[in-house]
Amino acid sequence: MEVQISVRGLVEFILRSGDIDNRKAAVPENAMQEGGRIHRMIQRRMGPSYEAEVSLRYTYDAGDYKILLEGRADGIITEPEEKKGRMLKTEKIETEAEGELSVWQQGQSVQKVAVTIDEIKGTYHDLKKMKSPVPVHLAQAKCYAYIYAEQKKLPAIRVRMTYCHMETEEIRYFHEDYIYEELRDWFESVMKQYKKWADYRFAWNKCRQASIKELTFPFTYRDGQKELASYVYQTIYHKRKLFIEAPTGVGKTISTIFPAVKALGEELAERIFYLTAKTITRAVADDTITLLRERGLKLKSVILTAKDKICFMEETECNPVSCPYAKGHYDRVNTAMFDLLTHVDNFTREQIEAYARKYQVCPFEMCLDMSLFADVVICDYNYLFDPHVYLRRFFSDGVRGEYIFLVDEAHNLVERGRDMYSAVLCKEAFLELKKKVKPFDDRTAKNLDQCNKEMLSLKRECEDCRVVAQIDRLVRALMRLGSAIEDYLEDHDESPVHADILTFYFEISHFLEIYELVDENYMIYSENREDGSFIVKLFCMNPSDNLRNCMRRGRSTILFSATFLPIQYYKTLLGAEEGDYEVYAKSVFRPEKLGIYIGSDVTSRYSRRGDAEYYRIAAYIHNIIEKRQGNYMVFFPSHSFLQQVFEIYNDVFNADGEVECILQGSYMNEEEREAFLNRFQGNADCDLQRLIQIDIEEEEEKSLLGFCVMGGIFSEGIDLKNDSLIGAVIVGTGLPQICNERELLKKYFDSWGENGFDYAYRYPGMNKVLQAAGRVIRTVDDFGIVALLDERFLTPAYQKLFPREWRECTIVNIDQIGRKIEKFWDEWL
């Protein structure tokens, strides 16, 4: 049996010490520095003796098991025969000559050095101020050097640390020469420190594997569920992707987690990542794993919690001056982790916080570190897909791991992918920061002014919204600004504008990194916004390439959603490749238990909006809910539309207050959201009147009517079972508002030969409709109604997007809806 770890993960885990101090992290260790432009530029300049991006693997014998180390050296230089023979010494007198250092020593035997391991790092640091390589960087290169020397039986080897300035492309080299025995002893000391962790992992893996062998499915299989679990397992086996359209009630969480766990047991994978867009679905995954533990499964899992939620401090300032948990964090965290690891299997937020307080370490960083020892990592999409916050512990060095990615509610990944791989700059932000910075740093202020001038030049060419062919001058100005900011931050930790400058620096770093990705999947545009601001945006029109590259970091990806229609649209934008699979999971519900009604004389079209149409919609709502007392939700295209209909409904149809109405606010915190949902779950004790300022007369036996926004916080991801929700009224087709960005999307996909309107408007809108409708039927015992109030639902363009379970729809008008609804309830009550 093997324990696997990346070279970078090993050295960062074992050799870290000291404080967390983000004041000094002006240049994040992001993908631009690790594998982007600088690496490619330097590698292209090297001669034929330079081999770039060399994958290295080494198996360390730990006795009862093996430790497999993997990594990728940026470059390996093998000198020609006539140039071999550089003398290796250990007492160093450094002299620079053509970027190299000569090394001398008196009175010792020498070895010939013929091979150099090159490790490249991009930086905005002043290279002249660097006295030596960053210790962790050097340790990473030393690991590669030992592995290569051991495998090639080299008596000596050289390490070259190559630091390149991101703006000027100036290069500084640091050379270290080692005899094999020196590297071997150092490497052994590192591995001995790691061995206690590996010993535990080995013992745990044996226990885990034995429990998986005995694990059985915890329920009686529903119709089609066993086949679905089989599809998941076969996809993992064949190292492909699977797109699952899984109607509510199929049991998609257990049907994906169970076969993935079984794949762990067969050693097809080493770790599962359960990726979600919302907190509530993370809780469902955690509950499922807890259920399997109750059936005997031995599995360690962690839920990654956002920094702003888990931080102990009122202000999230990660430095030893502002935070006592940051001071000396790395000196204590490994002890805290080993204590938690050996006593707890489920690394929940509560457990992480308890141990972090006990050892006075940062709970967020500790939570991330515990993922190294978790069999299942439950987290947000961004920990795999976001170019800034992805888990470098697993996904750096270009090494593909034996990971299974389970992507829940994957319909959300299209827009999330676009957001993560787009970047925007606002002209006014440069001027605002310039005013703050000028009294403290003239160089940064001048560079901010130059960037503003470049933005102004682009603004003069833009009337409303304009596609921009190139922004090279702006990019060069941003790089010069980055250099100025870096120099200032390096020497001014206590500056009163430090936080403002650092925040802005991360914004321009993101912009520059995304600029490196711009290709045919992108569009650069400028826009004068309604608030008077001017922006330049790198807009990722099609995120498929970026998402596909992220998923290639693992063995297999299972993407599933209750609203994956049309499936080819999602496969196109989510990175499907030839040979990937798709399946429509069979619904376990009887279709007749959901009444679908389409209003033929009502619409939310802009051309029809007015008091008469608002009144008609309010009348529809009244005629629907008066036929059976219970809990209902109405979903609207926008907050303003909601307010117009609510006022008419309350004044005309609910003047006596027989129906309790609650409204989704424009901005609701977690407490307000919970209070809103509690009303639907029968909790009349929550102080909703205080929280969302709606007059409520507590009265038994009332219908409850929630006015909500389609695509908002209550239209997906909530689980209202049984009588908690018996009906949903959906006003309109959910089309996104017409705007410049949507129009750019439409033109882009038209140019692809697709239906641009479908890609930009109809498909995203219909997904919101399906999600809202999906709130009604949550269990096999549920029955209820969905009313689609828009005549456009009668057209073929929309009906072809209906799920199979919607085969039987009833077309109604305002006069018929009440009788049809009454008939439905009579049949089921």
Side-chain angles (χ1 to χ4, degrees):
M1 184 178 292
E2 290 181 339
V3 173
Q4 294 181 321
I5 188 169
S6 70
V7 169
R8 177 172 175 169
L10 173 71
V11 298
E12 289 185 349
F13 181 67
I14 294 300
L15 302 180
R16 58 191 177 176
S17 63
D19 308 326
I20 298 173
D21 194 349
N22 283 359
R23 296 174 304 174
K24 301 182 183 301
V27 182
E29 287 290 332
N30 57 31
M32 181 170 63
Q33 280 72 43
E34 294 170 341
R37 179 178 60 85
I38 290 298
H39 282 70
R40 295 191 296 271
M41 178 196 74
I42 293 173
Q43 290 163 346
R44 283 196 298 266
R45 291 178 180 176
M46 298 296 107
S49 62
Y50 191 100
E51 184 180 2
E53 302 296 329
V54 180
S55 294
L56 296 172
R57 291 164 61 94
Y58 179 77
T59 301
Y60 178 86
D61 189 349
D64 293 333
Y65 62 95
K66 311 292 184 184
I67 300 175
L68 176 63
L69 282 93
E70 295 181 296
R72 180 176 292 178
D74 292 326
I76 297 180
I77 307 168
T78 305
E79 296 186 6
E81 287 295 327
E82 63 270 16
K83 292 188 177 181
K84 289 182 181 179
R86 181 183 294 121
M87 295 295 153
L88 174 75
K89 313 288 186 176
T90 56
E91 183 182 318
K92 299 178 182 177
I93 303 171
E94 299 184 351
T95 60
E96 292 200 48
E98 296 183 356
E100 295 194 356
L101 302 180
S102 300
V103 186
W104 303 91
Q105 186 197 3
Q106 302 286 333
Q108 289 194 16
S109 60
V110 298
Q111 299 285 351
K112 293 183 177 181
V113 180
V115 176
T116 300
I117 301 295
D118 190 26
E119 183 66 20
I120 304 169
K121 300 294 180 183
T123 182
Y124 279 116
H125 284 283
D126 185 346
L127 297 182
K128 294 183 179 63
K129 294 181 179 180
M130 294 187 70
K131 297 179 180 178
S132 61
V134 177
V136 172
H137 295 169
L138 180 58
Q140 185 178 350
K142 286 172 70 176
C143 280
Y144 296 143
Y146 170 74
I147 293 171
Y148 196 79
E150 165 67 20
Q151 292 174 346
K152 300 296 183 180
K153 306 302 179 185
L154 302 178
I157 194 167
R158 167 170 283 202
V159 167
R160 184 174 81 178
M161 292 302 307
T162 302
Y163 286 94
C164 181
H165 195 276
M166 297 295 294
E167 178 197 351
T168 65
E169 298 183 1
E170 176 189 1
I171 294 175
R172 183 169 184 185
Y173 298 104
F174 293 92
H175 292 78
E176 299 283 345
D177 292 347
Y178 301 97
I179 59 175
Y180 169 79
E181 290 78 11
E182 180 184 5
L183 276 177
R184 180 196 61 202
D185 293 345
W186 173 84
F187 182 78
E188 282 290 335
S189 70
V190 172
M191 295 307 297
K192 284 178 180 178
Q193 294 178 67
Y194 179 67
K195 191 172 181 298
K196 81 165 186 176
W197 300 88
D199 286 347
Y200 185 86
R201 284 183 62 181
F202 171 70
W204 173 259
N205 284 349
K206 287 179 65 176
C207 177
R208 182 195 73 184
Q209 298 300 79
S211 73
I212 293 174
K213 295 289 186 184
E214 300 298 321
L215 184 67
T216 59
F217 197 75
F219 306 109
T220 301
Y221 281 110
R222 297 174 182 172
D223 190 16
Q225 194 172 31
K226 189 172 185 178
E227 289 78 7
L228 179 57
S230 176
Y231 293 145
V232 172
Y233 186 88
Q234 292 299 319
T235 301
I236 295 168
Y237 180 85
H238 290 293
K239 300 183 179 183
R240 308 303 305 182
K241 290 190 284 291
L242 173 63
F243 294 79
I244 306 173
E245 160 70 20
T248 302
V250 166
K252 60 182 183 296
T253 307
I254 187 65
S255 298
T256 52
I257 288 179
F258 180 77
V261 168
K262 281 293 187 180
L264 286 183
E266 295 299 321
E267 298 186 3
L268 296 178
E270 61 178 286
R271 187 173 279 108
I272 300 167
F273 290 86
Y274 194 99
L275 301 140
T276 75
K278 293 182 170 61
T279 302
I280 190 168
T281 45
R282 292 195 278 279
V284 172
D286 185 49
D287 290 344
T288 301
I289 293 169
T290 298
L291 173 67
L292 294 176
R293 286 195 185 100
E294 293 169 355
R295 302 298 197 276
L297 176 64
K298 300 294 183 183
L299 198 77
K300 290 192 181 289
S301 61
V302 64
I303 301 176
L304 301 186
T305 305
K307 181 186 290 188
D308 59 345
K309 292 184 178 180
I310 201 171
C311 180
F312 293 148
M313 309 301 290
E314 287 188 12
E315 297 291 332
T316 306
E317 296 185 32
C318 303
N319 64 73
V321 175
S322 304
C323 177
Y325 301 95
K327 186 174 180 60
H329 165 88
Y330 292 117
D331 299 328
R332 300 182 298 272
V333 69
N334 283 11
T335 304
M337 289 174 60
F338 199 76
D339 192 2
L340 176 58
L341 177 66
T342 53
H343 290 93
V344 176
D345 290 348
N346 189 4
F347 311 142
T348 62
R349 173 178 174 176
E350 293 73 22
Q351 292 284 1
I352 295 287
E353 288 177 343
Y355 278 79
R357 290 187 187 279
K358 178 180 177 181
Y359 289 92
Q360 196 168 323
V361 296
C362 170
F364 175 69
E365 291 294 334
M366 182 179 175
C367 187
L368 293 178
D369 282 341
M370 291 310 298
S371 66
L372 290 167
F373 300 94
D375 304 304
V376 179
V377 180
I378 303 171
C379 58
D380 188 86
Y381 294 159
N382 58 16
Y383 288 102
L384 172 62
F385 296 108
D386 191 286
H388 297 292
V389 301
Y390 72 87
L391 292 170
R392 290 170 180 81
R393 292 158 174 82
F394 304 104
F395 309 134
S396 65
D397 297 330
V399 176
R400 176 173 176 167
E402 292 299 320
Y403 308 133
I404 299 168
F405 302 134
L406 305 179
V407 186
D408 197 359
E409 301 292 350
H411 62 274
N412 289 300
L413 190 54
V414 173
E415 290 302 326
R416 282 287 298 273
R418 283 195 179 118
D419 289 342
M420 288 186 284
Y421 285 93
S422 296
V424 63
L425 290 176
C426 180
K427 176 184 178 298
E428 287 66 30
F430 290 92
L431 291 176
E432 183 179 345
L433 185 62
K434 177 188 169 185
K435 292 177 184 177
K436 294 180 180 179
V437 169
K438 192 169 185 178
F440 301 96
D441 185 40
D442 189 57
R443 180 186 170 202
T444 298
K446 287 180 178 178
N447 278 278
L448 284 164
D449 187 57
Q450 185 59 44
C451 289
N452 177 65
K453 289 178 180 177
E454 297 298 339
M455 293 286 282
L456 181 60
S457 176
L458 292 168
K459 182 178 181 179
R460 287 172 177 155
E461 298 173 353
C462 176
E463 293 184 6
D464 174 30
C465 179
R466 175 177 174 268
V467 176
V468 182
Q470 58 87 16
I471 54 169
D472 293 350
R473 292 181 57 177
L474 173 61
V475 168
R476 288 193 291 270
L478 290 171
M479 295 180 73
R480 290 191 293 271
L481 173 61
S483 181
I485 289 177
E486 173 62 29
D487 288 346
Y488 180 78
L489 292 175
E490 190 170 356
D491 299 325
H492 298 85
D493 287 352
E494 306 302 325
S495 168
V497 293
H498 185 283
D500 292 322
I501 294 177
L502 184 59
T503 298
F504 192 76
Y505 180 79
F506 287 139
E507 290 181 18
I508 64 173
S509 291
H510 172 66
F511 191 91
L512 290 171
E513 180 177 354
I514 297 302
Y515 182 72
E516 290 297 314
L517 299 175
V518 171
D519 58 13
E520 68 276 4
N521 295 307
Y522 279 80
M523 189 173 288
I524 304 174
Y525 75 88
S526 60
E527 181 181 31
N528 287 297
R529 293 187 165 175
E530 291 182 0
D531 62 2
S533 63
F534 174 76
I535 61 103
V536 173
K537 184 166 184 177
L538 312 176
F539 185 29
C540 181
M541 316 289 280
N542 178 5
S544 61
D545 282 356
N546 292 324
L547 299 178
R548 184 185 302 114
N549 289 336
C550 292
M551 287 184 273
R552 284 174 178 167
R553 294 166 175 164
R555 175 191 181 96
S556 178
T557 303
I558 313 299
L559 304 101
F560 48 100
S561 170
T563 55
F564 247 176
L565 294 174
I567 192 68
Q568 297 306 321
Y569 161 77
Y570 286 101
K571 289 183 71 175
T572 297
L573 295 185
L574 294 180
E577 300 173 88
E578 186 176 354
D580 289 339
Y581 311 127
E582 64 187 74
V583 63
Y584 194 114
K586 184 176 181 180
S587 175
V588 300
F589 301 136
R590 294 167 58 187
E592 62 269 21
K593 294 181 75 172
L594 179 65
I596 304 289
Y597 302 90
I598 303 176
S600 61
D601 56 348
V602 63
T603 187
S604 66
R605 292 179 190 270
Y606 285 96
S607 59
R608 291 258 295 271
R609 292 186 184 183
D611 288 343
E613 203 67 22
Y614 298 145
Y615 180 92
R616 180 176 293 274
I617 293 167
Y620 258 103
I621 295 168
H622 171 71
N623 291 347
I624 290 168
I625 71 172
E626 72 167 350
K627 298 306 177 183
R628 185 191 171 196
Q629 193 174 85
N631 296 345
Y632 299 83
M633 283 186 176
V634 187
F635 296 95
F636 294 90
S638 65
H639 284 281
S640 59
F641 201 124
L642 178 157
Q643 193 65 39
Q644 295 281 357
V645 176
F646 167 71
E647 290 174 2
I648 293 174
Y649 175 81
N650 222 31
D651 291 344
V652 178
F653 299 102
N654 195 37
D656 55 4
E658 289 186 359
V659 176
E660 178 185 325
C661 296
I662 56 176
L663 277 65
Q664 175 184 337
S666 299
Y667 303 99
M668 300 177 76
N669 59 35
E670 287 191 30
E671 186 182 9
E672 291 167 341
R673 296 178 192 180
E674 186 176 344
F676 190 99
L677 289 176
N678 279 342
R679 293 297 298 122
F680 284 87
Q681 293 165 339
N683 183 0
D685 297 327
C686 66
D687 191 358
L688 196 65
Q689 182 173 345
R690 175 183 66 82
L691 288 173
I692 55 179
Q693 301 176 344
I694 296 175
D695 292 331
I696 297 174
E697 296 179 17
E698 272 200 29
E699 183 179 320
E700 297 282 334
E701 304 300 324
K702 265 189 175 182
S703 282
L704 176 65
L705 183 57
F707 285 73
C708 306
V709 175
M710 211 183 318
I713 53 179
F714 302 119
S715 66
E716 65 174 284
I718 61 171
D719 204 19
L720 298 174
K721 298 176 181 178
N722 303 318
D723 287 340
S724 296
L725 188 71
I726 65 170
V729 180
I730 299 170
V731 179
T733 56
L735 296 180
Q737 276 193 313
I738 295 175
C739 64
N740 290 328
E741 201 161 270
R742 285 285 147 185
E743 287 300 295
L744 290 174
L745 279 171
K746 180 177 178 295
K747 291 177 182 177
Y748 174 83
F749 285 107
D750 277 338
S751 70
W752 260 36
E754 301 287 351
N755 186 317
F757 181 82
D758 284 350
Y759 273 62
Y761 292 100
R762 183 176 284 117
Y763 294 161
M766 193 60 192
N767 189 274
K768 290 189 284 185
V769 171
L770 295 173
Q771 281 291 326
R775 299 314 96 205
V776 178
I777 302 293
R778 308 302 297 174
T779 74
V780 292
D781 298 321
D782 289 352
F783 53 92
I785 60 102
V786 170
L788 306 174
L789 300 189
D790 200 299
E791 60 196 27
R792 286 174 287 183
F793 286 116
L794 296 173
T795 63
Y798 281 95
Q799 297 226 332
K800 71 179 183 181
L801 302 178
F802 283 10
R804 297 174 184 176
E805 297 74 38
W806 287 15
R807 289 190 300 268
E808 301 296 329
C809 298
T810 303
I811 302 172
V812 296
N813 58 36
I814 187 65
D815 298 320
Q816 299 168 332
I817 184 67
R819 294 193 302 274
K820 298 291 186 180
I821 294 286
E822 187 174 31
K823 181 180 178 183
F824 174 85
W825 292 126
D826 287 344
E827 290 177 357
W828 287 102
L829 294 178

